[in-house]
Each structure stands twice: as C-alpha cells, then as structure tokens.
Amino acid sequence: MDAYDPLLLQLWGKTPRAGDPPEQFHPAIFHMLDVACVAEALLRDGPPRLRRALMHAWQGCDPEALLAWLPFLIATHDLGKISAAFQGQVDAQRERLAAVGVSFNRRSEDLYHAEMSACWLHHELHTREMGVANRLVWVVRDAMGGHHGRFAEGDMRTIRRRLTASERGEPRWTLWRAQAYALLRSLLAPAGDLAALGAPYRLRPATVVLTGFIVWADWMGSNERDFPAAPGLTPEAYLDHCRRQAAKALETHQLRAARPLPAYSSYTALFPSFSPRPLQEQIDQIAPAWLDAPVLVLIEAPTGEGKTEAALALARRIAATRSLDEIFFALPTMATGNQMFTRLETFYRSLYGASGAVRLTHSQAIVVEEDLRRVMLANDQDQADPDGASAAAALEWFAGAKKAMLAPFGVGTVDQVELGGLNVRHYALRLFGLAGKVVVIDEIHAYDAYMSTILDHTLSWLAALGCSVVLLSATLPTARHQALAAAFLQGLGQTTPPELPDPMPYPALSLYTAEQSAHTPTGVFRGDQQFTLRLISQRTPADEAAYLIDLVRGGGAVARLCNRVDDAQMLYQELQRQLPVDAVSRVLLHARFPLRERQNREQRITTLVGKETQRTPDQALIIVGTQVLEQSLDYDVDVMVSDFAPIDLLLQRAGRLHRHDRQGRRPPQHAVPVLEVTLPYDLHDAPDWQRWAPIYTPYILWRTWEVLRAEMLTNEHTIVLPRDYRPLIEAVYRTDAVPDGPYAAAITQALARYRRETDEQQAQARRPLVPPVLGNDAIVENGARPFIDDEAGAAASWQLAKTRLGDRVSLVPVYRVNDALSLHANGAFQIPTDAEPTLEQQKALIEHAVPVSDRQIIAAYRDERRARALQWPWRKAPALLRSLHPLPLDPGTHTAVMKGRRLRLDTNLGLVIEKLDAHYDEYEEDL
C-alpha cells in the first residue's frame, strides 16, 4: 500500500493496563487486526455452525468469497476509534497526542465510536470499492455500528455532521481513517474487487448474523491475556504475531471444532437402555428429505409418552442429516430448565465426553449449574471427571448470560429465546447464538397472548436463520397450532397460513417446511389413561387439611395444588397443626422460598415420589404446592386435589396421577386415579372467579366449567386420555359463540373482556419487537431506539422490553449485623458493606433470592426515594445483583413492614406476606 502517517500507529485502541507505563497502549489498528484474526481463525477452525449460519444468512453471495472477505470487513468495525472523539476520551492519551501536535475539539466527547464506524462506511465504501452494491454497504454499515450491542441510533447524515464538527481544525483525522482502511485492506483483503462478493438476498438476517459474529470476535480480540499490548511492531509483523495469538486463543478457550461428525442409525441405538414408545418410533419413520432444510415439528402427545427423548432423537437425526450438532432447549421455568440440564448433560456427555458439556443459560445459572453438574457426575460411577473440571474448562469462554447462548449445547427458559425477538441490547448476538441450531421449546401451550406474540415473531427469525424448531405440548388449540406454523413459514418466505386437517389427529407429529406439510398420528405407550374428575365445593383450610389427612390414612401419596401461594401456606399451616410431627411425610413447595431451599424441596419430592422411587402402599405423603407442581417436576401421586384451572392445565396436572408403573404398590383405596377439583361458589351457586381472576382469565374458567358440566350427570366425570384431549381443548378455547343457559350473560361479559385483554397483550408485546425479518430495507432506518432488557421483571420503564407480563421483584432476606449483611439472624456468613462482595458472596445472596409480585412491595422498591435499607449498601451494585434487592429483616421476628404489608421469612412456609392495611389494594399473588 501507499505510505501512511506514522502517527496512525500512535492512536490507541486499548489503554494500558493498571500499572503499565502510558506508552504501553495497544494501537487501534492492532486491535482491529486482532479481531480480524480471531474471525479468520473461527471461520477456519472454529465451530462449523458459524460458517453455516453466515452462508445461510448471506445467500446471494459467493460462499468462498464471503469467507475470504469477512476478516477484512470485520476489521473495519473500529474505524470510528480513529477519531478525535474517541482518542480524546482518556486524559493521558489525549495529552500524549496533543504533545506531538494533534489537536482536539472539546465538542467531540459525546460521539459513539461504533456509530462513527458505521457513518464512515456508509459514506466512503462506495467511493473506495467501485461497483459495490448498496445492499452490501447497508449490511456492513449496520453490523459495524451494532457491534457493541445496539445499532446506530442516529441517521448517517446527522452523525457525519457531528463528526465533522468535532474534528474541525484538524484535517488529519479524515486522512488517518482513509489510511487505516487502506492499510487493513492491503493486509487482509483477498485479491480482486469487493463488488464481486455481491450482496445477500435478505438484508436483515445477514445483518444480524454478521453483527453477532463481530461481537464474538471482538470479545475474544479484546481479551488482554490473549492479545497483550504490542505498540512497537510494524503492522506486517504484528499481523503474523496476532494470527499466532488467535490460533492459541482458540486452543485456550477450547473453541476448535473437535467433535466427530454426528451420526444416527435408529432411536434404539441412541437410547439402548429403553424400548422405544410409539411416538419415539415415529422419529425413525420421518423421510430424510424433511430434515435437510429448516423444519418446524410440533409434537403433541400426553404426558409420559417420551416427548423429550423424541425431541432429542429428532435433533440428532437433523444433526446427522446436516452434519451440524448444536441445540438449545427452552423450558417454561427455571426449575424445569434445571431438570432438563441434567438430562441433556447426561445425553451429550455420553456422545462427546467433556466436549458435550451443556451450558445452563437462565438468570440463576451461575448459582445452580456448577452444583447440578457436580451432583450428576458424582452419581455416575463411570465418570472419570466427577467434579466436572473438564466440562467447566470446555465451557469457560461461554460464561455469562449473553455468551452462554453461543455454546453448542444450551438449556434455559423460553425467555432466552424471546429476547432474540425483542429490541434489547445484543439481540443480534442472541439470534446469532441460535442461528442454525435445533431449538426445542417445551410446554408451548403454557404461554399467554403476550408471550405468544413474542414467540411467533421470534419463530419467523429462527426460520430465516436456518434453525429447525421442535415444539412440544400435551395439546394445543388448533388456532394456536396454525399460528405457530404460520409464523415459522413466514420466516421461510411463505405468507399463506397452512391448512390443517379437520379434525386434527391426536397424538400427532406435524411437520412444516417451505415446500410441504404433514400430520402423522402416533400411538400411545400408556394406552388409554382413564381417571375420574370430580367437581367439589371449596373447603376451609382446616377442613381441607383434615380431608387430606383422611385421604392418606391408609397410605398413599396425595398432591394438593393451590393457585395462590398464600392459600398453600395457610393449608400447610393447618396440616402442621393437625398432624403429629412425624405422623405423615409432608412437603410444601412454591415460588416464594429462597432459591436454595426451593431446590432442596424439589429434590425431596423427586426422592419421595419420583420415577425411580420404590415406595410401598402403606407410606403416606402429602405434597402441597402451587403451579410449580404443574410443570416443574416428574413425579407420581395416587390422588390429586386441585384448585380449579383452565382445562389444559387441569389435564396437565392430571398427568401426574398414576404417572409411573407401580403395579401392586398403590393402596387399594387409590387403585383408581382421581382428580378432585375444588372451586368457590357465590350465594347463587355460580362459580366465583374473583380470587383467581388475576391468574387465569375468567372466560376460560367459565368455558372449562361449562364444558365439564355438560359431560356430567352428577359432579363426576370419567375422562379418557388421549381420546378426550383434543375435544376438550377445542370446546373450551372456542370464541365464536357463547352457549345458552343461565350463565350466558356472565360468560358473554367475560368473553368481551378476554378479547379486549388479548388485543391489549398483543399490542403491548408488539411494541418492543425487533424489525420483521422479511423487510426489504436495512434493519436500521432513520435510527433505532433499543429497549431495556428485563427478563427477570426487575425494572420499571416505558422503554422496558419484558419477556412476560406481570411485574415482580426479587428480594434477598438479609440481617444487619455489626455493619455487615448476614444471611442468617445469628450473624453467620457476614458480608462486609465497605467493599464490593466477592463472587462467592454474590452467589450466596442469589441463592437466597425470593421472587415477589405484590404490587405494594414492588412500588416500595421502585420508589427512587426509598430508604437506604432497601438498597444495596455498595456505591455501585455488582452486575450479578442489579436485578435483586435486599429485604432487611428484624433478627428477632424475621419480619419487615412496608406499604401496609408484613413480610415474614418462615422456615416451614417460605416468605409470608400479610396484608395489614385495607387502604392498600389486594395484591396479585406469586405463582
């Protein structure tokens, strides 16, 4: 290339580390080479999914040319650092440059270097690369501008005016940027013209995938241990050096592609210890042509039919067909995510050893993943790595909520998938982390209109990014099934909703690709599952406790599901009062236990009534809980008593009745499975939904009641599954007509409210969505305003992007002891307040967190003028604690009072919330 000004290498990219001399900075040009070399190494030797994702999103470009040009294009991501605004940020560097004659304009300090990179490429790429397509310029521009997690917010003309004004009086800044571009091109670009690359057909998927790849490469290239400052080398010498460093970095972080190509012969070969069930056998019958391109698979089958293993086998078949084995498994709750983590870890380690380690991605993963892996491996006598050290090493680079999505095998909540469809910081990285993977989403029926709107939008993006998606459900309303299929097909360019057979088969395996669809009925392993459903009036807590005790008097396990935490707590208190200490085993489980205690209780339930439990008929057990017993655990009980709920959830709950084969090991009085459903009646003998209305929409409760009553001669009805699944669901979720009868007016009113709330939820969900994937223009037009990421529901703002409706805060019960925070009233495990807590101390605080959705308590913590005791004592809360708040308790009473509420941490009951003042509104209960 032509000569360049030596001062170009005096422009810093990374400041000196603490203690290093000022001249030990890392030049901006060298940092851009670092990132380019990481990209080059990842494309050559990294996970194959990276190359596949890029080539799929960049269809329309020559694949070989794309891989050849990308390192150079990625190097330009920090051209904006060659600017007065960036170089003047650090006083020592500013003074050093000023000493050699570089002038600065004070008005330059608020410019963002990524936006300046985008601006320069927008205006200069056409003139420096003759014939380059506008579409390519837009993709490159926006990806470079978005490499710090948000796309450029201002339009390019405005940014250019501000940039020009900030450098008035020093024309060399413009020259240095041009020289930097020319130097990078001479060192990195292949021979020929950039115009020969062409342009991707779809701008938005191409932009998202390139942005995500740049972020990955930039994070690695910014690691000072892998790329220490080297200001004394020439660019040519440094390029050789950083290529070696990039290769070493891939080795250090175990990012080289090391797994063998996936293979699949049969379900039986994959799971040799179990005989396949009819649903699982069906996986082997899918023609290979269905699996060599993005496919949506909906698996609808009763609980206990092996949907999870079927999904894993299908993912493995897709992996073998496409020579690419990466997966993300999404569950409705963190508890179900934790359980699935151990299953996936066992499965993928059996295939790949330590390189099959699974990353847990939800917000509490830092606390639970290490313990779950340690327990699992300790129980496996064949493991040569019982403490999981090799697995931890394999996953080290993927630590952190955002990087975790890039791990080859991941499991978390559905929220992580949703965040790819919300316009929050780093949404492009999240989508890139899923691109090309098999994405499995369980319990797809469990999401309301708000979440469903976000999921549908995200499904379109996943389809466009080359994902195959597997959706699991006990059953779905036909309209919801069709909406999911239509959303996926839209991402493949199909805008006509698919036609579904009438009636839809059940159980069924449904497949959708861009060209075809199929619906295959499957058999059932358990045969017809018959149970008796009884509708009974709600009892007082004392009477209910006495009734449950009577149910297990001769032995047996009963589960009592309450819709509200406070109801479960009151019932459990009555059981404690009426039962002698060791008379009957009992467990209470709900969301308002500290995280660690909740995990212990989940484990106890698994031990007492899990799949492997060998309990005897005379053993008596009472489990009381909330909806966590509906979704979170694989357990089996002899009889169940439940609060009334929508029909699909009642059937879900019934799936825990006689779930496992316990021939001869059930008490005679519980030989026939029974689900008793309690509901409150008003003075006119009509159901009173008021107490449950904040949890379940009254219209669906009305329809469930009406449909069940229509089948009953008395208050009892025999349900046969799977025969009755589809008819019951379809009858309840109809919204086209209200049946005649004495309650028609009430149901009509509830229907109007249901439609209104559904419309409102959908509108609220659409507001923070990312741009539609099929748009023909750039992903950023006239700026973009990102929303605040709030998976945990811990913030309040008009600009908030939430994955779920509702509001909550996570509180950590603490005690003040000797100017320190303690997690125990006796002062054990003290955390000093005069220094930032250690990582272990932060983990301990997270382990004790309790979610609370009481409106008044939330208001107390959202008040900017709240008492200091309701804030962390450190000047700046550590990142891991920013979504948590301290709940200061009195050491003697274990209580706190705020906003008309008394909060009490009880060893047996969890966090109890008592209403003290009628002035405050009734609160919405945690589930």
Side-chain angles (χ1 to χ4, degrees), residues 271-353:
F271 294 101
S273 301
F274 305 98
S275 298
R277 299 176 180 183
L279 169 64
Q280 297 159 348
E281 290 177 330
Q282 196 67 43
I283 300 302
D284 288 354
Q285 305 307 313
I286 300 173
W290 285 95
L291 308 179
D292 59 6
V295 58
L296 173 70
V297 183
L298 280 102
I299 299 178
E300 297 177 86
T303 57
E305 292 298 316
K307 291 191 290 291
T308 297
E309 288 74 17
L312 291 177
L314 180 56
R316 187 68 175 171
R317 276 207 66 188
I318 293 170
T321 302
R322 305 183 70 182
S323 300
L324 185 64
D325 194 6
E326 296 202 13
I327 190 172
F328 185 81
F329 213 116
L331 288 302
T333 66
M334 285 185 283
T336 46
N338 294 343
Q339 288 196 359
M340 188 58 64
F341 168 78
T342 58
R343 294 172 74 175
L344 259 65
E345 178 87 355
T346 300
F347 177 73
Y348 282 103
R349 283 179 70 96
S350 71
L351 295 173
Y352 298 120

Side-chain angles (χ1 to χ4, degrees), residues 6 141 177 179 277 339 353 360 364 428 457 486 566 610 622 814 892:
R141 171 201 71 191
R177 281 190 290 274
Q179 289 181 345
R277 299 176 180 183
Q339 288 196 359
L360 189 62
Q364 294 174 343
H457 189 73
D566 53 351
I622 300 174
V814 293

Side-chain angles (χ1 to χ4, degrees), residues 345-355 373-391:
E345 178 87 355
T346 300
F347 177 73
Y348 282 103
R349 283 179 70 96
S350 71
L351 295 173
Y352 298 120
S355 63
R373 180 175 286 114
R374 187 182 297 114
V375 170
M376 183 197 68
L377 295 179
N379 291 336
D380 188 344
Q381 302 302 315
D382 297 329
Q383 280 293 341
D385 179 34
D387 60 355
S390 58

Side-chain angles (χ1 to χ4, degrees), residues 864-885:
E864 293 182 357
R865 297 169 295 177
R866 66 186 184 275
R868 284 292 304 163
L870 302 186
Q871 306 174 47
W872 292 117
W874 307 287
R875 186 179 64 83
K876 185 177 182 181
L880 290 177
L881 303 182
R882 287 176 192 163
S883 63
L884 307 178
H885 307 277

Side-chain angles (χ1 to χ4, degrees), residues 743-763:
Y743 308 107
I747 298 175
T748 300
Q749 184 179 11
L751 174 59
R753 176 183 170 184
Y754 175 61
R755 287 171 170 163
R756 183 173 63 252
E757 289 177 346
T758 298
D759 290 344
E760 290 171 354
Q761 288 182 20
Q762 291 172 340

Side-chain angles (χ1 to χ4, degrees), residues 315-563:
R316 187 68 175 171
R317 276 207 66 188
I318 293 170
T321 302
R322 305 183 70 182
S323 300
L324 185 64
D325 194 6
E326 296 202 13
I327 190 172
F328 185 81
F329 213 116
L331 288 302
T333 66
M334 285 185 283
T336 46
N338 294 343
Q339 288 196 359
M340 188 58 64
F341 168 78
T342 58
R343 294 172 74 175
L344 259 65
E345 178 87 355
T346 300
F347 177 73
Y348 282 103
R349 283 179 70 96
S350 71
L351 295 173
Y352 298 120
S355 63
V358 174
R359 177 97 274 175
L360 189 62
T361 66
H362 62 60
S363 59
Q364 294 174 343
I366 192 170
V367 174
V368 300
E369 179 178 336
E370 187 177 315
D371 288 346
L372 289 170
R373 180 175 286 114
R374 187 182 297 114
V375 170
M376 183 197 68
L377 295 179
N379 291 336
D380 188 344
Q381 302 302 315
D382 297 329
Q383 280 293 341
D385 179 34
D387 60 355
S390 58
L395 290 170
E396 180 181 6
W397 190 83
F398 298 106
K402 293 167 184 169
K403 286 200 294 184
M405 297 300 291
L406 298 169
F409 310 113
V411 60
T413 64
V414 70
D415 305 84
Q416 281 81 51
V417 175
E418 283 187 279
L419 285 169
L422 293 174
N423 190 9
V424 297
R425 190 175 178 87
H426 282 303
Y427 82 77
L429 179 68
R430 294 178 185 277
L431 287 174
F432 175 64
L434 295 171
K437 289 181 178 176
V438 174
V439 179
V440 182
I441 306 177
D442 199 4
E443 309 281 8
I444 196 69
H445 59 270
Y447 309 121
D448 59 18
Y450 178 87
M451 293 182 70
S452 295
T453 300
I454 300 172
L455 274 174
D456 290 353
H457 189 73
T458 310
L459 274 179
S460 295
W461 269 96
L462 295 181
L465 294 174
C467 296
S468 288
V469 178
V470 182
L471 304 179
L472 309 180
S473 177
T475 192
L476 285 168
T478 301
R480 184 73 194 115
H481 181 124
Q482 186 176 45
L484 289 163
F488 185 84
L489 292 175
Q490 185 178 46
L492 300 180
Q494 305 299 313
T495 56
T496 303
E499 293 186 7
L500 304 186
D502 185 16
M504 279 283 288
Y506 184 85
L509 194 70
S510 300
L511 297 97
Y512 300 89
T513 69
E515 288 79 30
Q516 56 185 336
S517 63
H519 306 274
T520 305
T522 68
V524 289
F525 166 72
R526 300 171 68 192
D528 284 346
Q529 298 296 301
Q530 180 173 304
F531 69 92
T532 300
L533 185 146
R534 296 182 188 139
L535 293 180
I536 57 178
S537 296
Q538 195 173 54
R539 307 177 184 91
T540 66
D543 290 343
E544 185 75 4
Y547 180 71
L548 295 177
I549 292 169
D550 190 58
L551 276 177
V552 297
R553 199 170 300 282
V558 58
R560 177 61 170 95
L561 274 77
C562 302
N563 290 340

